[in-house]
């Protein structure tokens, strides 16, 4: 038909279907090519490295924070000071221990090695001493040097 132009055959394409533009770029040296390929790939590589580095740092920060939180979450050691005699100075022993601590608030103190402890001083009754011993980790028995044990102190030592 006169309205339709005859079709011309398309030029042969290079391997992989690359057109004329790709063939021209292929023949140019890399340094004279327009911005593209290598520079973009290098920028992408740097970005991936940076992201990986940031992820490592974030994970390390998270691990350190978790360790610090776990160290603070450990319950304090409970120290029970029992006066076995009337003249035993259990209160003075407790005050001395708390005064040597780095940080002290009431009956709980923290040492320089970040170990916390709590001082319990039960009354001189057998049942209160036994209850305190159940809760305690360490027991200190304060016996007066000059008087020795009295009757209540002997009951406490026998029960312990």
């Amino acid at each position: 038909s006169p309205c339709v132009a005859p079709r011309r055959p398309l030029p042969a394409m290079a391997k992989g279907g690359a057109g004329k533009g790709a063939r021209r770029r292929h023949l140019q040296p890399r340094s004279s090519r327009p911005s593209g390929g290598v520079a973009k790939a290098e920028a992408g590589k740097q970005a991936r490295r940076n992201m990986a580095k940031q992820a490592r740092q974030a994970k390390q920060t998270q691990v350190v924070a978790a360790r610090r939180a776990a160290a603070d979450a450990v319950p304090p050691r409970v120290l029970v000071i029992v006066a076995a005699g009337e003249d035993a100075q259990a209160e003075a022993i407790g005050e001395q221990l708390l005064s040597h601590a780095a940080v002290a608030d009431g009956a709980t103190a923290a040492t320089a090695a970040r170990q916390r402890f709590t001082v319990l001083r039960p009354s001189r009754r057998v049942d209160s001493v036994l209850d305190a011993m159940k809760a305690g980790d360490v027991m200190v028995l304060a016996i007066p040097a000059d008087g020795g044990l009295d009757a209540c102190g002997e009951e406490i030592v026998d029960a312990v």
Side-chain angles (χ1 to χ4, degrees), residues 33-120:
R33 284 187 194 166
S35 69
V38 176
K40 286 182 183 176
E42 192 62 34
K45 188 175 184 181
Q46 282 296 103
R48 286 191 303 276
R49 282 183 180 168
N50 189 31
M51 286 174 51
K53 181 180 177 184
Q54 287 176 346
R56 277 193 309 271
Q57 287 175 342
K59 187 174 182 180
Q60 185 180 13
T61 304
Q62 188 178 26
V63 167
V64 168
R67 281 186 189 157
R68 286 184 181 153
D72 293 338
V74 174
R77 301 250 185 231
V78 178
L79 177 69
V80 180
I81 301 175
V82 178
E86 189 67 40
D87 296 334
Q89 298 175 351
E91 294 290 325
I93 294 171
E95 293 303 320
Q96 277 188 329
L97 286 172
L98 290 174
S99 69
H100 289 293
V103 177
D105 58 351
T108 302
T111 64
R114 296 185 69 185
Q115 295 215 352
R116 297 182 305 151
F117 65 93
T118 299
V119 178
L120 291 181

